[in-house]
C-alpha cells in the first residue's frame, strides 16, 4: 500500500475520539497527506518562495560582478535544460557548495567557483540539475513539509499556495540546502551530468576531476567543504565510476 493510501486510511478509519483526544495527531496526519498530494507545480512554487528567502539572506553577486559574469559565460547555452527554465545566481560566500531547486533555481557559491574550472562547474551544476529533473528535489521538499511545523500549505481549489512566513520559508530553505539523497539518487544524478556533458560536447572527465578536487579539499577539513561532502559522499568512488564509464565509451584512456 502506498504512502497516500495509508494516510487516507489513517484519517478515515481511526475513531473520531482519537483525534478529539489528540488534535495534534489529526493535524499531523492532514499535514502529511497535504504535502504528499502537492503537485509538481505547487512544489516548484514553494521552492521558489524558499529560494527568494535564501537570496535575501545571502550576498548575491551583482550583474556586473566578475563572478556573475563568469557564471553567465559558462551557462550561456543552458538557460533551459531538459525543458526546464533555469535561473542562475552566485552567493559570494566562501562555502564550497551549489544547489538546484524544483523551480529551476541554481545557486553556486563563490568558494566552489574559486576551486573549479568552468567545465567542472558545469559538471557540478549538471549533477544538481539532475536531482531536479529526476524529481529528487521534489521528493525532498515533500519530506521537508512532512517534517516541519508548516501548516495549511495544501493547495486551494485554484491550485495556489498560501504565502508562508519568513521563518517557515527559512526552515524549508535550510532543509533543501542540507538535503541528503540516496546512493542510487546520487548515481543517477551523476549519470545525468555525464550525459549532459557528453550531449553538449564537453569533456566528461570534468565530472571526475570535480569529485577528485572535492575529495582532496575535504582532507583539509574546511567547514565549507565538509558541508558539500556531507551531502555528496564517496567522492573518490564516484570519480572512479565516471572514469570507468568514460573508458568504456572511448572518451578516456
Amino acid at each position: 500500500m502506498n504512502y497516500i493510501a495509508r494516510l487516507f486510511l489513517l484519517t478515515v478509519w481511526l475513531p473520531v475520539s482519537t483525534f478529539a483526544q489528540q488534535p495534534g495527531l489529526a493535524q499531523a496526519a492532514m499535514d502529511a497527506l497535504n504535502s504528499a498530494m502537492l503537485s509538481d507545480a505547487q512544489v516548484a512554487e514553494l521552492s521558489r518562495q524558499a529560494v527568494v528567502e535564501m537570496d535575501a539572506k545571502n550576498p548575491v553577486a551583482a550583474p556586473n560582478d566578475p563572478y556573475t559574469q563568469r557564471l553567465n559565460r559558462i551557462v550561456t547555452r543552458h538557460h533551459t535544460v531538459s525543458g526546464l527554465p533555469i535561473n542562475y545566481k552566485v552567493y559570494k560566500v566562501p562555502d564550497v557548495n551549489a544547489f538546484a531547486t524544483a523551480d529551476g533555481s541554481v545557486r553556486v557559491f563563490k568558494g566552489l567557483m574559486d576551486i573549479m574550472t568552468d567545465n567542472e562547474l558545469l559538471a557540478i551544476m549538471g549533477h544538481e540539475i539532475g536531482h531536479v529533473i529526476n524529481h529528487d528535489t521534489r521528493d525532498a521538499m515533500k519530506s521537508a513539509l512532512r517534517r516541519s511545523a508548516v501548516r495549511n500549505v495544501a493547495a486551494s481549489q485554484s491550485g495556489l499556495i498560501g504565502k508562508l512566513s519568513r521563518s517557515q520559508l527559512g526552515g524549508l530553505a535550510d532543509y533543501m540546502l542540507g538535503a541528503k539523497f540516496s546512493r542510487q539518487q546520487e548515481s543517477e544524478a551523476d549519470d545525468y551530468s555525464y550525459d549532459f556533458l557528453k550531449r553538449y560536447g564537453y569533456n566528461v572527465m570534468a565530472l571526475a576531476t570535480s569529485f577528485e578536487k572535492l575529495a582532496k579539499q575535504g582532507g583539509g577539513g574546511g567547514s565549507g567543504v565538509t558541508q558539500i561532502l556531507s551531502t555528496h559522499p564517496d567522492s573518490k568512488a564516484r570519480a572512479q565510476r565516471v572514469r570507468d564509464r568514460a573508458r568504456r565509451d572511448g572518451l578516456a584512456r
Side-chain angles (χ1 to χ4, degrees):
M1 185 181 299
N2 65 32
Y3 179 75
I4 294 177
R6 289 198 303 270
L7 285 171
F8 178 77
L9 289 177
L10 172 67
T11 56
V12 170
W13 294 109
L14 276 182
V16 174
S17 59
T18 300
F19 289 136
Q21 295 168 8
Q22 303 181 55
L25 177 60
Q27 184 63 64
M30 290 309 300
D31 287 345
L33 181 61
N34 289 340
S35 67
M37 296 178 66
L38 288 172
S39 70
D40 288 359
Q42 291 157 353
V43 171
E45 171 58 20
L46 285 171
S47 299
R48 186 196 66 79
Q49 291 184 29
V51 171
V52 168
E53 181 65 17
M54 271 193 281
D55 288 352
K57 290 182 176 179
N58 287 282
V60 176
N64 61 347
D65 188 285
Y67 282 92
T68 300
Q69 293 176 346
R70 180 189 173 197
L71 182 61
N72 288 342
R73 184 177 67 252
I74 293 170
V75 303
T76 186
R77 301 165 61 194
H78 310 297
H79 288 285
T80 299
V81 179
S82 296
L84 177 69
I86 307 291
N87 68 89
Y88 302 88
K89 290 183 181 180
V90 179
Y91 286 170
K92 295 196 73 174
V93 295
D95 293 4
V96 178
N97 211 350
F99 67 89
T101 57
D103 67 309
S105 295
V106 173
R107 300 295 181 262
V108 184
F109 292 61
K110 172 184 176 294
L112 184 69
M113 296 186 71
D114 286 341
I115 66 171
M116 298 291 173
T117 67
D118 290 359
N119 281 359
E120 287 167 347
L121 283 171
L122 262 179
I124 291 174
M125 287 187 286
H127 170 90
E128 298 301 330
I129 292 170
H131 280 306
V132 176
I133 301 301
N134 295 338
H135 298 301
D136 301 336
T137 51
R138 176 201 65 187
D139 295 342
M141 171 62 85
K142 290 183 177 182
S143 179
L145 291 170
R146 288 195 294 269
R147 297 183 184 189
S148 74
V150 174
R151 296 293 185 259
N152 301 320
V153 298
S156 66
Q157 290 183 352
S158 65
L160 300 176
I161 294 292
K163 186 172 178 60
L164 304 184
S165 70
R166 294 190 64 180
S167 62
Q168 290 172 330
L169 289 173
L172 290 178
D174 290 343
Y175 185 89
M176 287 192 302
L177 187 58
K180 295 183 179 181
F181 301 109
S182 70
R183 187 180 297 272
Q184 179 178 346
Q185 288 173 321
E186 293 291 2
S187 293
E188 290 172 350
D190 290 349
D191 290 342
Y192 182 91
S193 180
Y194 181 102
D195 292 337
F196 169 85
L197 295 171
K198 182 179 178 181
R199 180 166 65 252
Y200 285 99
Y202 300 109
N203 187 346
V204 298
M205 295 305 294
L207 183 60
T209 56
S210 69
F211 289 146
E212 289 162 353
K213 281 186 178 180
L214 290 176
K216 184 177 180 180
Q217 291 284 324
S223 60
V225 178
T226 302
Q227 182 177 8
I228 193 170
L229 289 179
S230 69
T231 56
H232 296 77
D234 303 322
S235 294
K236 288 184 179 179
R238 292 165 69 195
Q240 188 60 52
R241 180 173 177 269
V242 173
R243 289 187 177 278
D244 291 343
R245 182 180 175 186
R247 290 191 189 97
R248 292 194 301 270
D249 290 347
L251 299 175
R253 295 181 180 178

